[in-house]
Amino acid sequence: MAHFPFVHEGLLGDVCQSAIADYHVQSTPDEIMINNIRVWQPDPDGTGEGNYVTYTYRILRPLTAHFVKTSNQGNLAIFFTVTPVTETECLGWMGLAMNYGFDVPEADLKAFQDKLVAQDIPIVESQRPQLLPLDVQRECHFPSDKASLAYRRWLQQKGVTFGTI
């Protein structure tokens, strides 16, 4: 979530409201649940209405996760899964559902999501090292990174080595 104000300025974030409040992370052998992530978003879903939203993420398997974004308008849920092609290339798959905005044309919702993904791709592709460091001492982290730190520890516990260093 910390990237929203900088990568998705004006849509999912606002640099003047970039602080990420503390949130809860719970890890079990089967999943990671991240909840109570509250952030301001100028246009959280392409409907043009700014709002505070709350995210709940669940990481179900390595490379598979979903989130529910709750706002005054309702819930938007996105399911993500990744198919590795090589250790540094993958295909991403995404499904979206929402219980509001029924008057918004599907093509507009898809265009909004495509715009967000297009903003994320150059950031992801520029990451160095390309393989995911599981040793958390290899990088500098901030309090807002506790979800990604939990994910790295979880991958280590599961013995995942493909695509990692």
Side-chain angles (χ1 to χ4, degrees), residues 103-118:
D103 57 334
V104 179
E106 184 178 330
D108 292 353
L109 295 172
K110 184 179 183 317
F112 182 76
Q113 293 302 319
D114 288 346
K115 182 176 186 175
L116 296 175
V117 170

Side-chain angles (χ1 to χ4, degrees), residues 94-107:
M94 178 172 114
L96 180 143
M98 52 196 284
N99 65 358
Y100 62 95
F102 301 109
D103 57 334
V104 179
E106 184 178 330

Side-chain angles (χ1 to χ4, degrees), residues 47-86:
T47 60
E49 297 180 35
N51 203 347
Y52 277 97
V53 300
T54 303
Y55 283 88
T56 299
Y57 280 83
R58 289 182 68 197
I59 301 170
L60 308 170
R61 309 273 1 118
L63 308 178
T64 301
H66 77 87
F67 72 78
V68 176
K69 178 172 26 176
T70 303
S71 70
N72 292 337
Q73 297 177 43
N75 295 321
L76 176 139
I78 296 184
F79 176 84
F80 293 101
T81 193
V82 173
T83 302
V85 176
T86 69

Side-chain angles (χ1 to χ4, degrees), residues 134-160:
L134 296 185
D135 177 359
V136 298
Q137 301 301 316
R138 294 187 69 152
E139 298 177 303
C140 179
H141 298 280
F142 297 96
S144 61
D145 294 329
K146 72 180 181 178
S148 63
L149 293 170
Y151 181 62
R152 292 165 192 228
R153 286 190 296 271
W154 189 69
L155 291 176
Q156 278 184 317
Q157 292 166 358
K158 292 193 156 310
V160 173

